[in-house]
Amino acid sequence: MSGENDLIKLYSGKILELAADIPHLGHLEAPQVSVKKRAPLCGSTVSVDLSLADGKVVEFAQDVKACALGQASASIVGRAILGQTPATIEAARDALRALLKEDGPTPAAPFDGLEVLRPAAAYKNRHASILLTLDAATEAAHQAQAAKSA
C-alpha cells in the first residue's frame, strides 16, 4: 500500500497542472527540423519541430503522447525553450538526466522548473518519458545548427 501512496503523491497537483497546460502543442508549418522520440518501455512519444535563427530557437512546436510526468516535462520545456541555444538545451537535458538518475542539482534557469520532477527519480520506468522532450529538442537543435553550418 505504501508504494501505491507514493505513486499517488508523485502525481501532485503541480504535475497535473503542468500536464494539462502544455504550450506550443502541434506542429510548425515549415520547421527546419522535426524529430520524433519514443520511450520503448512505456510507449510514450514526443515529436518536436523547431527552427533556429542566429543560433537560438525561434520557433518550437511539440506533439506529446506521454504520461502525466512526460507531459509535465514537455510543459516546462515548452515554456523555457524559445531563445535557447542547442548547447543550453543539451545542458538542460543532461542536468535533468543527472537529477533523475544521480540526485543531481536542479537544471539551470530557464529550465529550473524541472525540479518539480525530482520525486520521479524513484520511478526508473518513468525516466525515459520525462526525458523525451529534451532528448528530441536536443537532437533537433543540433540538426538545425548543423544544417545552417553546411
Side-chain angles (χ1 to χ4, degrees):
M1 189 68 156
S2 169
E4 187 175 312
N5 286 337
D6 289 345
L7 194 58
I8 290 167
K9 283 183 203 168
L10 176 62
Y11 288 97
S12 69
K14 183 63 176 171
I15 295 285
L16 296 176
E17 182 183 312
L18 287 164
D21 187 23
I22 303 172
H24 307 291
L25 279 177
H27 293 280
L28 296 177
E29 203 167 297
Q32 280 179 311
V33 178
S34 295
V35 170
K36 184 174 184 175
K37 293 282 187 180
R38 182 177 178 276
L41 190 62
C42 66
S44 293
T45 61
V46 170
S47 297
V48 164
D49 296 348
L50 66 73
S51 297
L52 297 181
D54 299 322
K56 295 182 179 179
V57 177
V58 293
E59 291 184 300
F60 176 79
Q62 56 187 340
D63 183 27
V64 182
K65 308 269 190 282
C67 67
L69 295 169
Q71 291 175 26
S73 178
S75 181
I76 295 161
V77 171
R79 285 174 173 68
I81 199 163
L82 291 176
Q84 300 306 309
T85 66
T88 318
I89 298 164
E90 182 175 12
R93 183 212 47 202
D94 294 348
L96 178 58
R97 182 176 287 127
L99 178 147
L100 293 171
K101 297 184 181 303
E102 304 158 12
D103 195 27
T106 301
F111 295 99
D112 50 341
L114 292 165
E115 171 64 26
V116 73
L117 295 162
R118 188 175 293 278
Y123 300 91
K124 292 184 184 339
N125 60 334
R126 302 285 201 255
H127 291 185
S129 180
I130 293 167
L131 286 161
L132 273 180
T133 299
L134 276 173
D135 281 341
T138 297
E139 185 176 321
H142 283 304
Q143 283 182 19
Q145 188 175 45
K148 286 271 190 190
S149 301

